[in-house]
Amino acid sequence: MKYAEMVHEIMNINSRELIIPTAYQRRLRPERVARIVAKFDEHIANEPKVSFRDGRYYVFDGQHTIAARKKLNKGRDLPIRCKVYRGLTESDEALLFAQQTGESAKLTASAQLRALVYGGDQEATAFLRATEAVGLHLGFDQSRGSKRIVCISTAFSEFKRIGAEMYKEALGIILEAWNGDTNSLRAETIQGVISFVELYRGEYDRNRLVNRLRNTDPLSVYRSGRSDINLPGSKKYLNQVYRIYNGTSTKTALPMKF
């Protein structure tokens, strides 16, 4: 559903009646409010987009504009010109929030995914479930910690590319090898292990891979890969996983395919 496809009306609504849903909205960023205030021009200001639901006005796009207008009004509530949509569910609002374009501040991958999951987007929900099924969690607040994936954009892209089963296979190996160490859940390490599993699926020995990784500092995958000038992109990190797996063995070594 796109804004252009929906019927709306322009209304002046007092800011005290405008509700910011915390279930799918990002946190208010004071620095963004300050930037809007510094450059505010009434002639080009965007109208906040509002859903009239259950007798209340829910803002699904424009909370920073509302906060800026109030700041310009010395913190006092005031009438604000809004685009009001009717007939939306809370899930509809969340999905529309995730689709923000134009003058709205670009959403982070975590904020967008959180809204998509809340709105019931099938692919985003499947990604969340696959991650949690392995025993890991998505760090929507971007704070690093044990068993928390904060490189959400990378992980989601890999999930969409290879599918749930291979994604879970690779993440299960990472978790078993390093027990959720934060450095094992860097984007580069996740890409390296996923690429290895994808390329050598049906050929590699899972127990060997887990044990070899377990005896390796997860940060070395990132550091050694970053310094590799002979391979492009994610292949740098695939190569590190490949080298760890093979070690000095000739009997169990896998052939180079990349």
Side-chain angles (χ1 to χ4, degrees), residues 208 212 241-250 252-255:
R208 176 179 174 81
R212 295 285 298 170
V241 178
Y242 170 77
R243 292 173 63 187
I244 291 167
Y245 179 87
N246 278 351
T248 58
S249 172
T250 55
T252 58
L254 293 169

Side-chain angles (χ1 to χ4, degrees), residues 156-168:
F156 193 21
S157 294
E158 292 294 289
F159 171 84
K160 290 186 286 187
R161 187 178 65 80
I162 65 173
E165 291 310 309
M166 202 179 304
Y167 173 80
K168 289 191 290 185

Side-chain angles (χ1 to χ4, degrees), residues 86-246:
R86 299 174 187 271
L88 299 179
T89 65
E90 191 172 14
S91 292
D92 292 334
E93 295 162 15
L95 292 174
L96 287 168
F97 171 75
Q99 295 171 10
Q100 289 185 51
T101 58
E103 296 301 320
S104 300
K106 185 178 180 180
L107 296 180
T108 63
S110 58
Q112 184 178 49
L113 184 73
R114 181 170 177 255
L116 287 172
V117 169
Y118 192 85
D121 179 83
Q122 290 186 354
E123 195 168 39
T125 302
F127 168 59
L128 174 66
R129 288 175 177 168
T131 304
E132 294 183 340
V134 171
L136 296 172
H137 308 282
L138 298 177
F140 289 119
D141 61 0
Q142 292 296 285
S143 62
R144 298 183 69 196
S146 178
K147 301 182 181 180
R148 290 170 63 85
I149 295 176
V150 296
C151 56
I152 290 176
S153 178
T154 296
F156 193 21
S157 294
E158 292 294 289
F159 171 84
K160 290 186 286 187
R161 187 178 65 80
I162 65 173
E165 291 310 309
M166 202 179 304
Y167 173 80
K168 289 191 290 185
E169 182 178 339
L171 261 64
I173 288 167
I174 291 173
L175 179 60
E176 189 175 344
W178 288 306
N179 197 32
D181 185 294
T182 55
N183 286 318
S184 73
L185 298 173
R186 288 177 174 269
E188 297 83 2
T189 306
I190 288 175
Q191 285 182 311
V193 175
I194 284 178
S195 296
F196 179 89
V197 168
E198 179 185 21
L199 193 58
Y200 293 102
R201 200 176 195 201
E203 300 177 53
Y204 78 95
D205 181 299
R206 187 184 191 282
N207 289 332
R208 176 179 174 81
L209 178 57
V210 168
N211 289 329
R212 295 285 298 170
L213 291 175
R214 183 179 290 143
N215 292 316
T216 304
D217 180 355
L219 193 56
S220 70
V221 176
Y222 165 71
R223 285 176 173 166
S224 299
R226 185 178 59 174
S227 63
D228 187 343
I229 61 173
N230 298 313
L231 290 169
S234 62
K235 286 186 178 180
K236 295 173 180 285
Y237 308 101
L238 162 61
N239 187 42
Q240 301 312 309
V241 178
Y242 170 77
R243 292 173 63 187
I244 291 167
Y245 179 87
N246 278 351

Side-chain angles (χ1 to χ4, degrees), residues 26 35 52 59 107-108 204:
R26 55 192 162 184
R35 287 198 299 270
F52 183 71
V59 179
L107 296 180
T108 63
Y204 78 95

